Amino acid sequence: LAAAAAALENTITPPVKVEHTQLLIGGKFVDAASGKTFPTLDPRTGEVIAQVSEGDAEDVNRAVLAARKAFDQGPWPRMTAYERSRILFRFADLLEKHNDEIAALETWDNGKPYEQSAKIEVPMVARVFRYYAGWADKIHGMTVPGDGPYHVQTLHEPIGVAGQIIPWNFPLVMLSWKLGPALACGNTIVLKTAEQTPLSALLVGRLLHEAGLPDGVVNIVSGFGATAGAAVAGHMDIDKVAFTGSTEVGKIILELASKSNLKPVTLELGGKSPFIVCEDADVDQAVELAHFALFFNQGQCCCAGSRTFVHERVYDEFVEKAKARANNRAVGDPFKSGIEQGPQVDSEQFKKILKYIKHGVDGGATLQAGGGQLGSKGYYIQPTVFSDVKDDMLIATDEIFGPVQTILKFKDLDEVIARANNSRYGLAAGVFTQNLDTANRLMRALKVGTVWINCFDVFDATIPFGGYKMSGIGREKGLYSLSNYLQVKAVVTALKNPAW
Ligand code: NAD
């Protein structure tokens, strides 16, 4: 740890320049109406990367006007679906061409390892856009056998102007899950990025236009939640809102939508996902997968396997090995190769995580590894492991959103099912077993939107993702997310002569 902390003193210069810091409205980069800016910070040091235009309600109004015009009068919803699809494919090619530049911006703004941005996330984003590009010309209604002398059909129409509010943990991936299906269906968009990570989306905005996207189809407003975000959720002329972030803000979004124009809402919220290691587990493999399930992305995943339930038969061995694995985790400057963990995104998250670690210690859990800040600058946290965690401890009930693994012991399946389900959340679960009956039982009994069996965090564009209970409303990705961005119109035509 001392060597890792010392290595943090020399910060690597990011291999990219910040080109875009203004809002993207109506196809142009423009200042905020107020002229205000806010700093976006480097999580490795807390230093300013750039000043970014700070959009508020007035800028959201301007963006909605541009999106409305593009929807009501522009070519996007009127061109052939094949043309729309070709623009999205071209955009995916441009993403690949600019892969390293986009990845560097993402890492600089967010703190995640550059190798993760460059080799996993930007390629995944291109894949998501290609997946939805492929859908664009396969979206269509049905003919329906009505009861009378009528020809009945459904038209699947774009919903109009979609408002989309995204978080900072996967800025580009979240952008792709939102923009991909909305664009494939022919909608126009006002996207509000997270105030911690505004940069990569602005470059993406430029590339969308280079690919041929008409002006006003995607408008990007950087800014804060209580101003710009609330203006999106509460806007009278936005036809749908999609949000990813905390459950607390998800409730505000739903309220703002209902108090304004009753726009439909999809929410992808927090979680406290169980990762269940059964008695037949190969302990080494289980430790590695449970480690990945929790520590990936600095623990900043809504679906993080943040309650590691381990069968009593393998518990002691598991705890020893989980501790050793955490102590071996490569933490450091995310631009350095071989780094598994960078800094947390900002000082707020950093302090919140340290507070939870203190709760864990004070509450009587056994601290096996980590437990504090790494180094003295930026927002690095030591990979932390608690054992002897009890279900009612705060570290077992709350979303910590950081590199803190909590290990709980269980005796049998009935018990672990009840305890795993005893949460206000229901986003995901991991199951580690070789026993088919156990796997079948758990996959059905767990009240969650995704069950990963002998794997975790598998996020293909084709697989739907979303939560039960307070983890959200609706599904993103896959075929399922198209319905979030479509209206179904029934058309009934009287037949003069029903015979043929
Ligand atoms: P947040 O919910 O406050 O922010 C997410 C997005 O919502 C951001 O774009 C933000 O600007 C916007 N927002 C905030 N307040 C708003 C409001 N009143 N109206 C409209 N939009 C608003 O999340 P956070 O504060 O960045 O993180 C807090 C916690 O949320 C984290 O510790 C974590 O537990 C959870 N979180 C979950 C996810 C996820 O993927 N589900 C992502 C980020 C954070």
Side-chain angles (χ1 to χ4, degrees), residues 294-295 298-301 304 344 353 381 399-405:
L294 185 282
F295 289 96
Q298 292 70 245
Q300 301 166 146
C301 297
Q344 307 307 126
I353 295 161
I381 292 186
E399 190 172 41
I400 301 174
F401 231 62
V404 182
Q405 184 173 35

Side-chain angles (χ1 to χ4, degrees), residues 285-297:
Q285 286 176 14
V287 163
E288 190 55 38
L289 195 58
H291 177 86
F292 168 68
L294 185 282
F295 289 96
F296 178 62
N297 206 45

Side-chain angles (χ1 to χ4, degrees), residues 15-62:
V16 64
K17 292 225 160 1
V18 177
E19 284 181 61
H20 302 293
T21 55
Q22 293 171 292
L23 314 178
L24 179 63
I25 297 180
K28 295 193 175 58
F29 282 107
V30 295
D31 287 335
S34 67
K36 282 208 269 184
T37 60
F38 66 100
T40 187
L41 307 180
D42 182 341
R44 301 174 305 164
T45 57
E47 285 162 12
V48 177
I49 302 174
Q51 290 288 337
V52 175
S53 295
E54 180 185 331
D56 61 19
E58 191 170 345
D59 302 291
V60 169
N61 278 337
R62 291 155 77 201

Side-chain angles (χ1 to χ4, degrees), residues 144-302:
V144 179
D147 282 346
Y150 305 106
H151 173 74
V152 184
Q153 59 188 315
T154 58
L155 303 180
H156 289 186
E157 299 180 339
I159 208 162
V161 175
Q164 304 184 322
I165 303 171
I166 56 174
W168 44 262
N169 54 342
F170 292 95
L172 284 167
V173 173
M174 293 297 107
L175 169 149
S176 71
W177 293 9
K178 298 274 185 291
L179 292 187
L183 290 173
C185 296
N187 298 278
T188 63
I189 292 145
V190 176
L191 176 78
K192 210 293 278 174
T193 49
E195 55 271 31
Q196 297 85 348
T197 53
L199 296 178
S200 56
L202 296 171
L203 176 54
V204 159
R206 190 190 85 207
L207 298 181
L208 278 164
H209 287 93
E210 274 179 41
L213 194 81
D215 291 349
V217 174
V218 171
N219 304 277
I220 303 177
V221 180
S222 321
F224 292 87
T227 48
V232 169
H235 207 285
M236 287 301 288
D237 210 20
I238 288 183
D239 302 304
K240 188 253 162 351
V241 63
F243 168 81
T244 298
S246 60
T247 295
E248 186 192 352
V249 175
K251 288 183 175 182
I252 298 175
I253 303 290
L254 205 51
E255 201 178 329
L256 288 168
S258 74
K259 282 190 174 149
S260 53
N261 60 348
L262 270 184
K263 56 180 77 62
V265 178
T266 40
L267 301 173
E268 202 266 275
L269 308 174
K272 192 74 185 173
S273 299
F275 183 96
I276 302 172
V277 179
C278 298
E279 61 183 315
D280 62 311
D282 172 311
V283 176
D284 291 324
Q285 286 176 14
V287 163
E288 190 55 38
L289 195 58
H291 177 86
F292 168 68
L294 185 282
F295 289 96
F296 178 62
N297 206 45
Q298 292 70 245
Q300 301 166 146
C301 297
C302 47

